Amino acid sequence: MTLSRRRIVAGLGALAAGAATRAASPAARPAPAVPPPAPAVPPSDPAVTRPTLTESLTVPGGGLTPEQLAQDERFWAAVARQFQVSADFINLENGYYGIMPDPVRLAYHRNLDQLNERSSHLLRTAYKPRADQIRDRIATLLGVTRNEIALTRGGTEALQSLISGYRRLRPGDVIMYADLDYHSAQYAMNWLQARRGVHLTRIAIPEPPTREAVLEVYERALHEHPKAKLLLLSHMNNRTGLVTPVRQIVAMARRHGVDVIVDAAHSWGQLDFTLPDFDADFAAFSLHKWMNVPLGAGFLYIRAQRLADIDPLYADETYPATDIRSRVHSGTMNVAPFLTADTALDFHDTLGAEVKQARLRFLRDRWVHQLRDLTTVQILTPDEPDMYGAITAFRLRRRTSEADNLAIADELMTRHRIFTVARTGMTGGAAVRVTPALFTSADDVDRLAAALRDIARREA
């Protein structure tokens, strides 16, 4: 694939200039390629004085591969200007929440104002067809259909709805998850153990986690537990950033008669894939991470033929049992994040999934490869390209406790003004997670590498 920087820059510039105005007509979504003009922005809004990409970058012609574009710091500096980022520190903890670029931020403000002004009238009228359009847009990007998508308030709610609603368990069955899986999803699986009389087994992902080692540990666990019926599987886990070979594990589990719930909360928008790539029946997603939708947005996926295997949530009757929306009941939600989803997806589409993936992997590789020669530093994701994205965790070999890694994260922040986060739950010990974003520069991750070399030198 080759790309024109001029085409991408022009698209982002158009978004920055006015694509954030979808709230003006929530019932009808215009085509993403031709966004409507923006209404006047209040003079107090800082975006008024910020240059658009087309104003701030002169771009030569010619095609580039995503990997070549990923290394163009002038281009990414222009992308970074679409984000309002604190100058007080380098934010390398972007896995928790993916902040909104300016077009999305401005659209969100307008959608909040409109929701406040129109109140119940918007909720009872215009929002309903708009929600279906959003589901259509998501389904199209993922290669599925609208009736297989239900909106949730985040990936956690999606996972909880799928896990708690899974109805094919009988007393004595076995359910499984790995040490790297999301803690709230683990809790929901633990809840099944008490409520359904099933047995729980925990898989320890090996270190170093090569593709062969990961596949082997899942195959062994499935072979050793012939009564297994349900497996939780993270596409990209939130602790170390390891990307698992989902399609192979789903096929393996299916041969053993085991259903898989895929946690894709961290991977969609960070990696380039569609749901047919997984061949999975059940999956959960977040929109407010790598798709940069405002906080409070996600969705779940149930393959149409498998809908009956997930119970309606709390016997909900808002929708018929044949409607996937009966598998979620969130009450009265703040719908402004969903009204803003189109603008965020436009921003994603303008860059493209391949380009985003290439840039995030480039940033990860840049700091990781500067440390590979240090025997005191353990990098907890392999260098196999399909086994990682932006998120990568590290630990110092003699500092594996939670307290140790909290101290390392604190030192990075207090001495170097680099914000990271300590993570626990891995069988090999705690670690520090590093997560760059689209606004992160090569200089930012170089500063991280230099800081870690300094810390490692003192540990030697």
Side-chain angles (χ1 to χ4, degrees):
M1 176 183 178
T2 59
L3 302 148
S4 163
R5 281 177 289 192
R6 188 179 304 278
R7 177 184 62 79
I8 296 175
V9 167
L12 288 175
L15 280 169
T21 61
R22 298 185 183 281
S25 180
R29 177 174 66 83
V34 189
V41 180
S44 60
D45 195 301
V48 172
T49 59
R50 303 178 74 196
T52 67
L53 286 181
T54 51
E55 295 169 339
S56 60
L57 183 63
T58 301
V59 183
L64 297 171
T65 67
E67 290 72 24
Q68 290 170 328
L69 188 59
Q71 301 178 52
D72 187 336
E73 290 304 306
R74 291 179 64 228
F75 173 80
W76 290 102
V79 173
R81 285 192 286 273
Q82 297 296 299
F83 295 84
Q84 292 196 13
V85 181
S86 173
D88 296 339
F89 59 91
I90 295 172
N91 184 5
L92 294 180
E93 210 306 81
N94 296 289
Y96 201 2
Y97 164 48
I99 67 170
M100 295 172 276
D102 274 353
V104 181
R105 180 181 61 83
L106 296 173
Y108 183 49
H109 288 177
R110 295 187 183 99
N111 285 320
L112 278 173
D113 287 345
Q114 185 180 67
L115 176 59
N116 193 58
E117 291 165 5
R118 297 183 59 189
S119 183
S120 303
H121 183 266
L122 185 149
L123 291 171
R124 293 187 182 280
T125 57
Y127 175 67
K128 293 184 177 182
R130 184 65 181 273
D132 283 341
Q133 292 168 351
I134 294 161
R135 292 167 63 212
D136 277 330
R137 180 95 185 263
I138 291 168
T140 299
L141 279 173
L142 278 172
V144 295
T145 62
R146 180 212 294 177
N147 66 343
E148 297 173 306
I149 298 293
L151 302 177
T152 67
R153 291 172 295 185
T156 299
E157 184 175 59
L159 284 166
Q160 290 171 336
S161 298
L162 290 171
I163 292 168
S164 64
Y166 183 74
R167 64 185 304 177
R168 299 187 67 182
L169 293 174
R170 300 293 180 267
D173 286 344
V174 172
I175 59 176
M176 313 170 80
Y177 62 71
D179 56 347
L180 299 184
D181 289 325
Y182 184 48
H183 62 275
S184 294
Q186 291 186 7
Y187 304 156
M189 295 286 279
N190 295 342
W191 179 91
L192 282 182
Q193 185 177 10
R195 297 302 189 278
R196 305 287 178 84
V198 296
H199 302 296
L200 177 68
T201 188
R202 187 172 182 268
I203 299 167
I205 301 298
E207 295 179 2
T210 63
R211 170 181 288 273
E212 292 75 16
V214 170
L215 288 171
E216 181 182 346
V217 76
Y218 277 99
E219 178 63 57
R220 184 168 60 249
L222 291 164
H223 178 75
E224 291 175 353
H225 298 280
K227 291 189 176 181
K229 289 292 184 289
L230 181 65
L231 170 67
L232 172 68
L233 178 64
S234 295
H235 184 206
M236 173 187 285
N237 77 77
N238 81 102
R239 302 176 195 268
T240 70
L242 177 71
V243 177
T244 58
V246 169
R247 188 180 185 90
Q248 292 92 323
I249 296 172
V250 167
M252 181 192 303
R254 195 169 280 139
R255 290 195 297 270
H256 286 270
V258 177
D259 278 326
V260 178
I261 294 175
V262 177
D263 176 1
H266 271 283
S267 55
W268 199 48
Q270 181 178 168
L271 302 179
D272 182 20
F273 68 93
T274 62
L275 268 166
D277 295 333
F278 290 171
D279 194 28
D281 295 323
F282 312 104
F285 294 80
S286 176
L287 287 167
H288 58 233
K289 293 187 182 293
W290 298 95
M291 283 299 185
N292 304 107
V293 174
L295 278 169
F299 62 95
L300 60 81
Y301 161 81
I302 303 172
R303 194 193 296 267
Q305 300 92 313
R306 300 299 308 277
L307 183 60
D309 291 321
I310 303 293
D311 278 323
L313 190 65
Y314 305 124
D316 185 68
E317 297 182 12
T318 306
Y319 297 98
T322 54
D323 190 318
I324 190 173
R325 291 173 293 180
S326 66
R327 273 58 178 180
V328 180
H329 192 111
S330 304
T332 305
M333 296 192 303
N334 174 16
V335 302
F338 295 105
L339 293 172
T340 312
D342 265 335
T343 306
L345 294 175
D346 284 348
F347 193 89
H348 167 81
D349 283 347
T350 301
L351 282 172
E354 280 190 273
V355 170
K356 289 173 67 177
Q357 174 180 275
R359 174 61 176 179
L360 294 169
R361 283 179 172 167
F362 165 77
L363 291 169
R364 177 267 184 195
D365 285 345
R366 190 175 176 101
W367 73 266
V368 165
H369 292 174
Q370 293 180 61
L371 304 174
R372 283 295 191 192
D373 64 309
L374 299 179
T375 58
T376 54
V377 178
Q378 288 180 290
I379 304 296
L380 301 185
T381 57
D383 285 340
E384 298 171 72
D386 57 353
M387 299 284 283
Y388 69 88
I391 301 172
T392 290
F394 72 89
R395 72 165 70 96
L396 301 182
R397 291 187 185 277
R398 295 195 297 270
R399 300 182 67 179
T400 60
S401 71
E402 180 178 7
D404 285 336
N405 287 276
L406 286 169
I408 293 168
D410 182 66
E411 180 177 352
L412 284 170
M413 184 65 178
T414 55
R415 288 192 60 189
H416 302 280
R417 307 308 298 165
I418 298 172
F419 184 50
T420 58
V421 65
R423 296 284 81 182
T424 61
M426 299 80 80
T427 300
V432 175
R433 186 180 80 183
V434 175
T435 313
L438 295 179
F439 54 76
T440 304
S441 70
D443 286 344
D444 291 339
V445 293
D446 287 347
R447 284 180 58 181
L448 171 71
L452 294 180
R453 291 192 75 88
D454 178 59
I455 292 171
R457 184 175 62 249
R458 288 185 278 110
E459 288 292 314

